[in-house]
Each structure stands twice: as C-alpha cells, then as structure tokens.
Amino acid sequence: MELGMVGLGRMGANMAQRLVKHGHRVVGFDPGPQAREQASQRGIDAVDSLTALVAGLKSTRAIWLMVPAGETVDRTLADLLPQLSRGDIVVDGGNSFYKDTMRRAAMLSEHGIGYVDCGTSGGVWGLAEGYSLMIGGDEIPVERLRPVFEALAPAPDRGWGRVGPSGAGHFAKMVHNGIEYGMMQAYAEGFAILERKQEFGIDLGRLAQIWRHGSVVRSWLLDLSANALERNPTLDGIAPFVADSGEGRWTVAEAIDLDVSAPVITLSLLERLRSREDDSFADKLLAAMRNEFGGHAIRKG
Amino acid sequence: MELGMVGLGRMGANMAQRLVKHGHRVVGFDPGPQAREQASQRGIDAVDSLTALVAGLKSTRAIWLMVPAGETVDRTLADLLPQLSRGDIVVDGGNSFYKDTMRRAAMLSEHGIGYVDCGTSGGVWGLAEGYSLMIGGDEIPVERLRPVFEALAPAPDRGWGRVGPSGAGHFAKMVHNGIEYGMMQAYAEGFAILERKQEFGIDLGRLAQIWRHGSVVRSWLLDLSANALERNPTLDGIAPFVADSGEGRWTVAEAIDLDVSAPVITLSLLERLRSREDDSFADKLLAAMRNEFGGHAIRKG
Amino acid sequence: MELGMVGLGRMGANMAQRLVKHGHRVVGFDPGPQAREQASQRGIDAVDSLTALVAGLKSTRAIWLMVPAGETVDRTLADLLPQLSRGDIVVDGGNSFYKDTMRRAAMLSEHGIGYVDCGTSGGVWGLAEGYSLMIGGDEIPVERLRPVFEALAPAPDRGWGRVGPSGAGHFAKMVHNGIEYGMMQAYAEGFAILERKQEFGIDLGRLAQIWRHGSVVRSWLLDLSANALERNPTLDGIAPFVADSGEGRWTVAEAIDLDVSAPVITLSLLERLRSREDDSFADKLLAAMRNEFGGHAIRKG
Amino acid sequence: MELGMVGLGRMGANMAQRLVKHGHRVVGFDPGPQAREQASQRGIDAVDSLTALVAGLKSTRAIWLMVPAGETVDRTLADLLPQLSRGDIVVDGGNSFYKDTMRRAAMLSEHGIGYVDCGTSGGVWGLAEGYSLMIGGDEIPVERLRPVFEALAPAPDRGWGRVGPSGAGHFAKMVHNGIEYGMMQAYAEGFAILERKQEFGIDLGRLAQIWRHGSVVRSWLLDLSANALERNPTLDGIAPFVADSGEGRWTVAEAIDLDVSAPVITLSLLERLRSREDDSFADKLLAAMRNEFGGHAIRKG
C-alpha cells in the first residue's frame, strides 16, 4: 500500500526503507535536505513539504509520524489537520507520552481522522530484523494498516499487534523502556562485579558469548553487550555517562501514580541520573556530617 | 567418553541423559532408589553407592557432582577422596560458593586430583536445549573434559568455556544468577504496572508475545513469561511468595565486598525477602510513628 | 494582632489556640458545627461563613488557610477574593504543591493581595511545642505577619523564617517531608532488624530510650518511636499498612525532574506503596517465572 | 572507681577524661608516646605497657578496650589474658562485630573473666555531652561497672543500659550505625534537592536552623548539618567522597541473613560505595549498550 512518512531520521528512514523493500510505496518528508537526499537513494519518494506529502498520497491516506515526541508532534498535527480528509489515518510511531496521545486522538476524532499510536522497538537493528510494534487505537484503522505492520514487524504473523485503545500502544512502549532500563542495569552491575574481581581475570566478552547460548540470562541486550565487550573489553574511551530519553521517567512516575512499587526500574533511572553527577552535593554533605560528629577527615574537593 | 554422575535429581539426571544421547557412557549414583530407577530407564548405568560408581569407571576417572551446594559437596568429596587416584578429575556442576570451591580445589590438588568448577545454567530446559557452562580450573583437566562440555552445551562450539582458574566458574555463575534476579524483577515490575492500568485492558500474554520478536527486551526469560502469562493471564492461584536459592545473597555480599554499588541486583533480592513478609515490623512501626506525630489513624492489624 | 483562620481541623484549631494563648485575636471559620463549637471553647471567635470571617477582621486583613491541599484551596481563594481588599494578606499554611502556590500568588498579586506560603511542621505536638515554619513570599507581607510567626514558632527567635519567594516555603516543606520519610524508614528498618534477632531479646523501647541520650541517631522521631515501642513493644494490633500524604510523591518527582538521584527518599515512598500491596502481581510473576525455568514449586495463592 | 583504658585515641582519651572528671581513677595505655603524653595532661595515669596497666589496677580489675575492631582486639586480649585474674572484667567499647564478641566472651568466660560489650555512640561530642552506651553481657559485671556507665552517659539515669547477653550491645550499636547511614543519606538527598532548585535561592544553613526547632525532622544530625551548612553553605572544598567504617556493611549483611528487607539502610551503604567510583564500569557498559542498540552517541571518557 501507500504511506506517508513524516520524519526521515535514523528511525523514520529505516522504517520507510523496510516498507519499500516489502513493496510498499512511501512518500517521505523531512525538513533536512540531506535526509531527503539519502531517503531518495533508498527508494523513498522524498518531498520537501508536508503539503507535497499529503498531495502525493491517494485518499484515504495513511501518514506515519516519526518525529521527536512533544511539541513537534503537536505542531505537525496542526500543520497536517487542514490538509487531511475524513477517513485519513495518522500514526504516531514515536515515543509520545500516552496521555498526549489520548488527547490527540480525541482531537483528530472530532474531524473524522483516525489516530493510531504505535510503540516501536528495535532501534537501528529494526531495518534488518524488523520492529516490535505495540499498537493502540480503534480496530478499524489498525486493521487498515495491517500490510504496513506486517512489513515492519520481523514477520507478518509476529512482533506486532493491537494491545488496546488509543494510548495503550504508547503506554506499553513506555513500560517496555522501563523494563529495558532495569535489564540493562542488571547486566551492567553484573559485569562490573566481574570486572572488579581482577584475580580471576575473566574475559567479559567471552563470558557474554558463553551466556548467549543456553543460559537463563540470554537476551538480545546480552548479544549487544557481548559485541561491545568483545570489541572493547575494558570499555576504554567510553565515558561513564548515561543519557536517558524520558520514557524511564514516565514509567517511574506512572508506577507511583498507580501505587505500584517498582524499585528496580526506579533505581535504574536514578543510577543514570547519578552517572551524570560529578560533584554530588549529597555526598559532600555526607562527608561534612561525618567530619562534624566523628572528626573524620574530609577529602579536599 | 565415560563420566560418573553423583546426584540424579532434576539437574543431574537431565544432564546425564543428554550425555548418553550424545554417545557418552554415564555411571550415575543417587541415594534415592526411585531416582536410580528413573535414571536407568533413561540409559544411565545407575549404581547404589559411591564405591560402585568409582569402581564402574576406568582410570583416569571423571566424576561430576550435581548435589546440593554446601555440606553435601564436602561430605561427598570426603567419601570419594580415599577411592580416587592421581589424575582423576572431579567436577562440581552445582551452585557452590566460589570460595568453598577454591578451598576444595586446593585440597584435592594435594592428592593429585583435578577439580573443575562448572557453573551450569539452563534449568529444566537444558536437557533439550543444552546448558550454558562457565568453567573454572586448570586448563588440562578442562581440556580432557571437552567432549562432556561439547555434549552438554547447546552446540559443541558455543555456550561453554573456561573462564579462569578454580572458582572463576562458580563466581561467574553466581553473578549470572544475580543478573537473573535483576532481569526477572524488571519484567515483573513492568508487567505489574501494565496489569494495574486496567483502563487499557492490555492482554499481558499477547503483549509479551509481541515483545518476543524484534523488541529491545526480548530474551529467554521473556519467552518464559509469555508462556506463563498466556496460560494464566491473571496468575490466579499463584501466591506472591518468591523463594531465593542463595546465589543472589552471595552476589550482593560480593559486590559490597568489592566496593561495587549494585543497586538493582541488591533490590531484587530485597524484594524477594519482602515478598515473604506478611506482617512487616518495619511497616507497623511506620504506622505507629505516623500516629504519634500526626494523629494519623492506624489500621488494626 | 488579628488573624482569620480558615479551617479548624486538628492543625488549624491547634494553631489558632496557640495564637490566642499568645494574646492574638483569631476569627475562625470551619464548615463543621462541631469544629466551630470546640474552637469557641478554646478561645477562638468561631464564625459560620467566610463572609462572617472577612467581616470580623479589620483592614488590612490577614487570613490563614489551613485546609486540605488542592481544590479546596482554589475554591476557598475563589470565594475569598471578591471579599478582600488591596493590601490584605492570605497565608497558605497547608501542604500545597509549590507550583500551585506560585500560580495562586501570581493571581492574587494582580488584585494587590499578598500571598504567603508557610510550610508548617510539628503535627499534633505543635500546640504545646510550637511549629517549625518555612515561609515563602514577598518580604513585606512576611514581615507584617511577624507577630503571628513568633507566636506559632517554638520561640520568637527560632523555628521560623522566610526562605525565599513564593513557593519556596512549600518547596522546603515538601523536601522536609521527603527527608521525614527517609528517616522514618531508616528507624523502621533498624528496629525490624533488632526485632528479628530474637536470640538477643532486646527490649526495643528500652533501647530507643538509651539512644535518645547521647547517640548519633537521637531525634524527635526517635522520641516518638520510643513512646510507641515502650507502650506496645510488639506493636500488636497495628496493621503493617503505611499511608502517604502526597508530599513524598512530589519530592520524588521533583528530584527526578531536577536530575538529582535521591534513592533513599524514593525507596521510602516505594516501601509505603509496597506496604499496601497484599497480592503483588510482580511477586506472583516472579514465582511463575521461577517455576517455568527451574521447575521450582509455586505456593498456591 | 578505678578503670584501665587500653587505647588513648580520640575516643579512648575523651572517655577516660570524662571518667576522671567524674572522680574516677583511670590508668591508660597507648603504644604512642604522644597519646600518653596528652593523656597525662588530661588527668589520666598514662603507662607505657599493658603490663604496667594491669599492675596499676587493684583487684578485681576492670579494663576497657577502646582499640580498632578486629585483630587488635584479639591481640590485646591474648596479651592481657595471662595477666588477669578470675573476677576481672574486660569491656570492649569499640565497634567489634558481635559474633567476634560472642566468641571472645565465651573464651574469657572459661578463665573466669567477665566480658562486657559496650556499643558507644556520641563521637567527638561525647566528652562534653556524654555517650550513649548499649551494653551486652552478664548482669553481674555490668552492674559492677555501673559507676563507669553513669559517668560516661549524658546523665546517671539515662543514655545507658544493658540490652541483652554478650554480643547484644555490639549488635545494637551495629544497627544504630545502619540507621545513622539511612538518616544521613535522607538529609543529604533532601539538601541536594534544595540546592539544585536554584530559582528559590534557599539558604540551606538558615533552613536547617529553622528545622532544628519544632519540625518533625529535628535531630542531632540536623544540628550538625546546620553547623556545616552555615559555615560553608556551598560545601566548597569538600570532595564528594564518603568513607564507611564497616558497621553499615555488617548491618546490610545481617539484615539479609535475617531475611529482613532493609532497602534504605542498604541503599545508603551503596551510595557511599558509589561516591568513591569515579569511572564506573557499569555506567560505561550502559553507555556502550545504548550505542549498540540505538546508535546513541557515546561520550569520550
């Protein structure tokens, strides 16, 4: 079928290319000329405006947004809305907050436009291996997009599915990322313990390879860790600085809002915050307190 | 080749059977007549004493212990030692504490007997899928056991390897289990958040299936979770009571001993302890304190 | 001086009484007849409407709100606003969210009305011992209220102070409560460890009394714990169910928003959530996973 | 009465001086000439050998050890034992591990020598304010030492007491220190949140002073924090490096051993470990993993 792709960054361009490979036609828009140029070379009909994108699609249209979460989504929807017709469908494939999604779906619904939220996992590997797609929204538009989901997923019959009404897809993706934080932290701590036990001289890349086959902890994240550790066993040149993209924060906040105690997901987020502190006020105060009551020496900062 | 297997419980019997399937001869001992009976039916030469086991193996012998960690290992070694000859090899495939392993290896070494520690992961699925084997000990005995490891692992060239000297295998397995705790807790928290968000009515088994393909959180533990959640989506009839086998405790203690902060692995263990509290004194005292300072009502216990 | 007190619940009535004791005149309003009745007996001029309260105060007026945080504050301000005059001052002494406070202060400021936020700590003991008051807002209205603060505080020259502009008082009180959660949890855990070590048979109330004098952990919360533990050493009849009033949640959210890792305050909140779970889905899933991979028995729920 | 004090470091010398002030005679020994010199100036009969110390005391003797926990205690007891007589009492006032204490008490008991463990809290302030003393051991020797405890405590009738048999005093002190870690961390996190909220410009020393009077979080540790923050509000020149003395580790290990979940005490310890990491391998691996799956940029280390 035919799809408009708004946003031809790393994720959007790869997804569009995967759709093209599966025989779909993709009209793609990105404000950056270089992104459009590269998309053209990958078989995407790259256009230089939203208007051209809308014009390049037959009714009823399906337009997939792969743009940064937040204001960009609202702005894009505001630009698109006057150009769309009843029965068109917009998909938000990014990491939007699920409550924003619910608000947007209600707004578009008043105009007879379908709104589907699609939590998309797979990263840069999705182009080759397919994406895991958690979909929220009404059943009819989801069903109409079936060929798209079947092409994006690792296989037509797996790795994608409608999980609930509007917002459910992004909610599921949010929790997915929370789990991801927890798993990553678990591996990171484990390898850090092994690395510190220098008397055993364990080759961490090799151990990760052993674990990849038959162990209880085998996973795709372990596959990636094995790659990273085999290539650079001491992780030389990598700063201990861990960014976070926002979904972990939402998961922590939602868990608390739902009265669910989620210590591991929460601590995984806090550890990322901690990784970015190089002069912790809390730790300085602890040192100062110890000095006050016990006369313990303070290190000069 | 030929191997003695001491302990024909769930793990030992499965491993022996896998070896037999791969053309090895296994003489197995277990104190339980029923375990021996079942082992016989699975192609294992089951004998009713350690003496018979030793007598049933040609020199130089290789004997694999698959018995509960702790005293049972020491007792078995004490019983075996007078019957063994220089050049024999004993493998401890159980979850022994690595410092015990180092002590035992040193002791057997004085008698010219090789001691190999093999952290074994894979659970009840190992029989069919193979085990992940983290091996510690001298290179020569490990190399001699190569045919055994190649048969037990998922494939001859993967899923097993020597990771360091005596103790390194059990140390690696200990950390493996710590990581396992963290991963399990991450999934458990994520699904608990999803379950609590009842307005979306997300089918957890179906979502787990979607995640199994293409997502960042795909793993073997997720495969198992998907099984469990598809079979029993509300987990009815399962008590929220989580046992722990000891390796998580060791991992936490070792991390602290090495000055490594491992909050996620640590909290995963604490959450298991917490799951077994049904009348927490700490929580009662918190309720009592709130009553003291704020006059907040106390629930009757 | 003269003050209007809106809300004659536990906190409001006690504070009004303390002001009366210090020679101030307090006109108090509460929607409940019983609260008004009791207030009258405590020397407060209790009236049955906001209108009567405003009418009962001379210009320029000072009105202290001691009502539940959230909508009640907004509703009360909406009711008060048309009756107030330029130069009047409203104080919010409750646990309002500081961003609400900033919004309200800006709104009242447009009408020439001063708005002061006063984080108030001390609980039911404040009547006798005085309250700790963290004050936000412009300097002029704060200074005008000096006699009120001097009477409410434990002493005229201590336990109160302006800490910053509008919102700063409630922000400080929010963090105060986060610290309180952490301290309470620290004591609760410590006494739980002592209680579990039954072989020593330590009398917890007696130990708490010992700690009250000279130890590093002496505090007012310890004084209260000592009371509770001496009266009921086994905490019989108290359910292990710990409520939370919302300020802990805000502290956790603010810390994350500020990229500050605050694991202890955060875990203290999560432990309270956990105390209210009696059938944790996460723990059930952990038990189910263990059964899947290891064949470990599940307890029937 | 008369007491021997072994160890005239910061704690031992202060305690001896406090005893002298209360009219007791103290014979003190320290291997360091300077420590002895200073002790002499403070009214202590300083001697240069254990033998001289024993010789300087009348039967039946009471000897207080204030030496570093661990081997030094064992070595000192080995040196003392041949010189002591039945009925003598040895007190260990340091931070010994309670299981060591139980072993030592049993050993001395065979020689008819009493052994009392005294957990001592108060730090450098104890000289002026008195110490909080948690005492373990048989009732008779504890009773004989009553004058010593009455002098060391803040007042004869408070701040000291026998809490149980041998080991109970050190166990209580261990937990005391665990609680201390949790409280300190709670304050440190709270002040760190306040410090980061720069828009309010809250003066932390001043706020700490306000909290000292009437607030729920008032405590001695807050008094010290107020001192530190008033003197140096930005904590300039203090490195964010927090040592730990070992008792926190024991508390964490004991809690786990007793199956008590103590997340706040535990995380307080981990945060101290974390404060000493400046190049966390775990965080580097997290950064590497993010790069693997999402192509996220890595900071150069």
Side-chain angles (χ1 to χ4, degrees), chain B residues 196 231 239 277 292 299, chain C residues 196 231 239 277 292 299:
Chain B
R196 189 65 64 83
R231 204 184 317 116
E277 284 274 7
E292 289 287 330
R299 277 210 189 182
Chain C
R196 189 66 64 82
R231 205 183 318 115
E277 284 273 7
E292 289 286 330
R299 275 212 191 182

Side-chain angles (χ1 to χ4, degrees), chain A residues 79-97:
Chain A
D79 289 350
L80 273 177
L81 188 54
Q83 314 184 44
L84 298 181
S85 315
R86 297 189 78 80
D88 287 350
I89 304 171
V90 178
V91 184
D92 179 3
N95 282 333
S96 294
F97 185 49

Side-chain angles (χ1 to χ4, degrees), chain A residues 130-153:
Chain A
Y131 299 90
S132 188
L133 306 169
M134 305 135 240
I135 304 163
D138 289 342
E139 290 185 21
I140 291 172
V142 171
E143 197 51 39
R144 255 191 58 209
L145 293 163
R146 170 179 285 272
V148 169
F149 296 132
E150 290 181 346
L152 289 173

Side-chain angles (χ1 to χ4, degrees), chain D residues 266-285:
Chain D
T266 303
L267 264 290
S268 300
L269 172 65
L270 297 196
E271 178 56 25
R272 294 194 177 192
L273 305 186
R274 187 66 182 75
S275 79
R276 276 126 58 183
E277 284 273 7
D278 51 7
D279 194 33
S280 158
F281 192 82
D283 290 343
K284 291 160 88 160
L285 183 54

Side-chain angles (χ1 to χ4, degrees), chain B residues 10 124-125 180 185 196 224 231 235 237-239 271 274-275 277 283-284 286 292-295 299 301, chain C residues 10 124-125 180 185 196 224 231 235 237-239 271 274-275 277 283-284 286 292-295 299 301:
Chain B
R10 202 160 37 200
V124 293
W125 298 74
E180 177 189 310
Q185 182 68 23
R196 189 65 64 83
L224 300 183
R231 204 184 317 116
L235 300 179
I238 297 174
E271 177 57 26
R274 187 66 183 75
S275 79
E277 284 274 7
D283 291 343
K284 291 160 88 160
L286 288 170
E292 289 287 330
F293 70 74
R299 277 210 189 182
Chain C
R10 201 162 34 202
V124 293
W125 298 74
E180 176 189 311
Q185 182 69 24
R196 189 66 64 82
L224 300 184
R231 205 183 318 115
L235 301 178
I238 298 175
E271 178 56 25
R274 188 65 184 76
S275 80
E277 284 273 7
D283 290 344
K284 290 160 88 160
L286 288 170
E292 289 286 330
F293 71 72
R299 275 212 191 182

Side-chain angles (χ1 to χ4, degrees), chain C residues 173-246:
Chain C
K173 178 59 174 16
M174 176 193 80
V175 175
H176 165 282
N177 283 28
I179 293 171
E180 176 189 311
Y181 277 43
M183 291 174 68
M184 288 174 69
Q185 182 69 24
Y187 285 119
E189 291 176 10
F191 283 109
I193 296 167
L194 289 157
E195 190 260 354
R196 189 66 64 82
K197 189 72 175 178
Q198 297 185 339
E199 67 190 87
F200 284 143
I202 295 173
D203 178 329
L204 301 185
R206 183 162 159 64
L207 178 59
Q209 286 295 351
I210 293 171
W211 284 348
R212 288 184 61 213
H213 305 283
S215 90
V216 171
V217 303
R218 63 193 190 258
S219 75
W220 189 65
L221 282 165
L222 180 64
D223 298 347
L224 300 184
S225 301
N227 287 352
L229 287 166
E230 287 200 312
R231 205 183 318 115
N232 183 359
T234 54
L235 301 178
D236 273 353
I238 298 175
F241 181 100
V242 194
D244 79 275
S245 57

Side-chain angles (χ1 to χ4, degrees), chain B residues 33-101:
Chain B
Q34 205 178 352
R36 293 197 300 267
E37 173 70 29
Q38 290 173 352
S40 289
Q41 289 162 12
R42 295 163 82 178
I44 300 153
D45 288 359
V47 296
D48 63 359
S49 70
L50 274 184
T51 306
L53 181 137
V54 173
L57 295 168
K58 275 168 296 206
S59 268
T60 55
R61 303 176 191 88
I63 298 178
W64 188 292
L65 309 188
M66 212 65 205
V67 300
E71 285 175 31
T72 313
V73 175
D74 282 319
R75 205 168 345 106
T76 306
L77 289 178
D79 290 350
L80 272 178
L81 187 55
Q83 314 183 45
L84 298 182
S85 315
R86 298 188 78 81
D88 287 349
I89 304 172
V90 178
V91 184
D92 179 2
N95 282 333
S96 294
F97 185 50
Y98 78 98
K99 287 185 181 171
D100 289 334
T101 297

